Amino acid sequence: MNHRIRGLYLPDGTLHRFAEGKATKGLTEHIASRDRSTDFQALGMYLPNPDPVLKKMGKDTAVYRDLRSDAHVGGSVRRRKAAVKAMEWRIVDSVTGQTGTRPSQKASPRAMLLAQDALADLDLDALLSEMLDAPLLGWVPMEVMWQRMPWAGGALLPAQVLAKPHEWFHFTPEGELRFRSRDQPMYGEALQPRKFLVPRQDASYANPYGFADLSMCFWPTTFKRGGLKFWVTFAEKYGTPWVVGKQPRSAGKTETDALLDQLEAMVQDAVAVVPDDSSVDIMESGGKSDSAGAYKELLMFCRSEVSIALLGQNQSTEASSTHASAVAGLQVTQDLRDGDARLIEAAINRLLRWVTDLNESEAAPSPRFELYEQTEISETQAKRDEAMHRAGATFSPAYWMRAYGLQEGDLVQTAVNPTESPGTNPPRRTEGSDAPPEGDSGTPDYADHFADPRKMVQRDAIDDLVDQELQGWQDAISPLINPVQDLLDEAVTKGWTAAELIERLPALAAQMDPSALAEQLARTSMLARLGAGAGIPTDDTQG
């Protein structure tokens, strides 16, 4: 059945079907957008931060920065940042995925040098510390100060990357970052491309400001501060002994006030003078330990909540945790560290992309910035690999790179000496020393077999002559071996039986000329006698 295609061929040779316009209509446009939704907050000049804590309190992210004055919050923040800053970093020239490295995306050598120069000129430790505020506050606006660098061939590189206050910026309903200047305090000024880096954590269409981990610490820290205040008041009230003075009923207000002043002085100086008809008792508060424990439990609960929010666990920060639970808790922290590291990589890779765009071209591949952990080499594995290597095992360069964290170019391929067996290592000689190599006695290999050192001789012209003659054995044996090998190959090709092969052997033997082999044997026998006469030990001369 002949199906007719309804369409129009375009000048480039492609076919435009008549039904395509109707079928694809609206696929490239937004249907669910802020200007068409019932969210009236999105109809303003800017999109407010949807953070529930900030929205309820009517404040900005400055309230989160104030939380760092708390000892536990500040210590957890430093620990989380230190976990990322302790990682190693490198710049690679391509993107490596599950299917391997794609050569078409390798950056040029000049782009690699520019990336190295760009990061070398920056205070990377301070830059990482400011970027790591993004997981804590949700986002960080960072302005890039570009400058022509004469020492880099006049390339345009970032001289500084500075974090600016959050209060100066906001996002539009379209998710565009704007600067709230004096001229445009409400809507804000549009920013120049490649000017501001904005690291963000879990940013989305509904929330371009990202998610702030410190929002989970606000209420626990607030309650902890309030509970600590009440605990201090409780300790002051019930932790200090009460001094009770007793006076006769006939005493007036003047005498009572005078006794009260003396008791206050007694509390401070432990000395007081009272009338002889008055008495002073010191009373201890009892039965309040349970009430004090309630305040302590509240504070410890708030501490645990902060640890879980910032470190992902509370096992390594509580005194009641065991070593096993603390180690298990640190594994969760490592997952958070890897997430923070990916956020840093994305921000710095955007900066390197801009460096390539401004100095190479927008179509040129850009180098990649990677954070990684320097793995500790297992001593047991190293000894095992060395033993296997000495036993004859040969490992591929891919294994060495994977097992020991090597990079491309660290391994140099060297030719294998055919006289050495696979897996053997050459003897090591100490630099600057005339001593024989380690593991080498300095004598020929047969020294252990012949214990008499008087029979050990140095190499001379006869030894060289023997070695030269031994090299001719291949030429002497080849005329006898090659015809047999050819006959075997023919038998396999034609499918001969063993009997058919044996029938052809006498005819083949009649065609062979063993004179070259006989001459070689005679020459070798003569050289062996010459060597024996020169003092080279043989089986006949032993003993």
Side-chain angles (χ1 to χ4, degrees), residues 199-270:
R200 293 180 288 179
Q201 176 177 254
D202 298 338
S204 60
Y205 177 82
N207 181 15
Y209 292 89
F211 180 78
D213 286 349
L214 286 177
S215 64
M216 299 183 290
C217 304
F218 178 79
W219 292 117
T221 305
T222 302
F223 290 139
K224 190 183 76 169
R225 289 173 175 174
L228 182 61
K229 179 180 179 181
F230 288 122
W231 194 6
V232 171
T233 304
F234 179 87
E236 181 180 1
K237 183 176 181 180
Y238 295 100
T240 304
W242 295 346
V243 181
V244 181
K246 298 179 181 180
Q247 279 188 324
R249 293 181 182 272
S250 59
K253 185 178 184 306
T254 303
E255 291 82 0
T256 303
D257 292 341
L259 180 60
L260 180 60
D261 294 339
Q262 293 174 349
L263 295 180
E264 289 181 356
M266 178 182 177
V267 173
Q268 297 179 359
D269 302 331

Side-chain angles (χ1 to χ4, degrees), residues 155-366:
L156 190 61
L157 299 178
Q160 284 183 309
V161 182
L162 303 175
K164 298 300 177 70
H166 295 69
E167 299 81 10
W168 296 356
F169 302 87
H170 61 230
F171 287 92
T172 64
E174 293 78 18
E176 179 184 357
L177 181 67
R178 288 185 174 267
F179 171 58
R180 301 171 62 181
S181 63
R182 295 182 180 179
D183 298 334
Q184 298 288 341
M186 295 298 296
Y187 188 66
E189 294 182 0
L191 302 177
Q192 183 179 356
R194 303 186 183 93
K195 186 60 177 174
F196 278 87
L197 281 174
V198 188
R200 293 180 288 179
Q201 176 177 254
D202 298 338
S204 60
Y205 177 82
N207 181 15
Y209 292 89
F211 180 78
D213 286 349
L214 286 177
S215 64
M216 299 183 290
C217 304
F218 178 79
W219 292 117
T221 305
T222 302
F223 290 139
K224 190 183 76 169
R225 289 173 175 174
L228 182 61
K229 179 180 179 181
F230 288 122
W231 194 6
V232 171
T233 304
F234 179 87
E236 181 180 1
K237 183 176 181 180
Y238 295 100
T240 304
W242 295 346
V243 181
V244 181
K246 298 179 181 180
Q247 279 188 324
R249 293 181 182 272
S250 59
K253 185 178 184 306
T254 303
E255 291 82 0
T256 303
D257 292 341
L259 180 60
L260 180 60
D261 294 339
Q262 293 174 349
L263 295 180
E264 289 181 356
M266 178 182 177
V267 173
Q268 297 179 359
D269 302 331
V271 177
V273 178
V274 297
D276 57 357
D277 57 348
S278 301
S279 63
V280 177
D281 296 332
I282 298 177
M283 301 179 61
E284 297 285 348
S285 61
K288 298 297 182 181
S289 59
D290 294 339
S291 300
Y295 289 105
K296 183 178 181 180
E297 290 180 3
L298 174 62
L299 265 63
M300 295 305 296
F301 172 77
C302 294
R303 280 171 49 90
S304 298
E305 291 295 292
V306 172
S307 298
I308 294 173
L310 294 181
L311 303 179
Q313 48 83 25
N314 64 345
Q315 298 297 325
S316 60
T317 58
E318 303 302 329
S320 60
S321 63
T322 62
H323 176 72
S325 61
V327 172
L330 288 176
Q331 184 65 34
V332 181
T333 304
Q334 184 175 357
D335 297 339
L336 289 180
R337 181 206 64 180
D338 294 341
D340 294 344
R342 302 292 85 79
L343 186 147
I344 297 299
E345 288 179 352
I348 296 184
N349 284 331
R350 174 65 61 88
L351 181 64
L352 297 182
R353 176 71 263 176
W354 292 349
V355 171
T356 305
D357 293 345
L358 296 175
N359 297 279
E360 294 279 305
S361 68
E362 296 184 1
S366 173

Side-chain angles (χ1 to χ4, degrees), residues 34-48 173:
R34 287 191 172 93
D35 56 352
R36 301 183 66 244
S37 68
T38 57
D39 185 7
F40 294 101
Q41 290 185 350
L43 299 178
M45 294 183 177
Y46 68 94
L47 184 66

Side-chain angles (χ1 to χ4, degrees), residues 429-506:
R429 182 183 297 275
T430 305
E431 185 177 357
S433 174
D434 295 334
E438 181 181 348
D440 187 4
S441 61
T443 57
D445 294 339
Y446 45 81
D448 294 337
H449 182 68
F450 301 102
D452 189 358
R454 293 174 299 178
K455 298 181 180 180
M456 299 298 103
V457 296
Q458 299 294 329
R459 291 184 58 87
D460 53 13
I462 296 179
D463 297 318
D464 298 334
L465 182 60
V466 171
D467 293 340
Q468 181 179 359
E469 292 297 329
L470 290 177
Q471 295 178 359
W473 275 90
Q474 186 66 30
D475 298 336
I477 297 178
S478 295
L480 304 178
I481 299 299
N482 292 340
V484 177
Q485 183 64 46
D486 295 339
L487 183 63
L488 291 175
D489 295 339
E490 184 180 1
V492 173
T493 303
K494 297 182 179 181
W496 293 347
T497 63
E500 293 175 343
L501 178 62
I502 294 175
E503 291 179 357
R504 290 172 172 79
L505 288 178

Side-chain angles (χ1 to χ4, degrees), residues 120 123 213 265 384:
D123 187 353
D213 286 349
R384 182 206 66 183

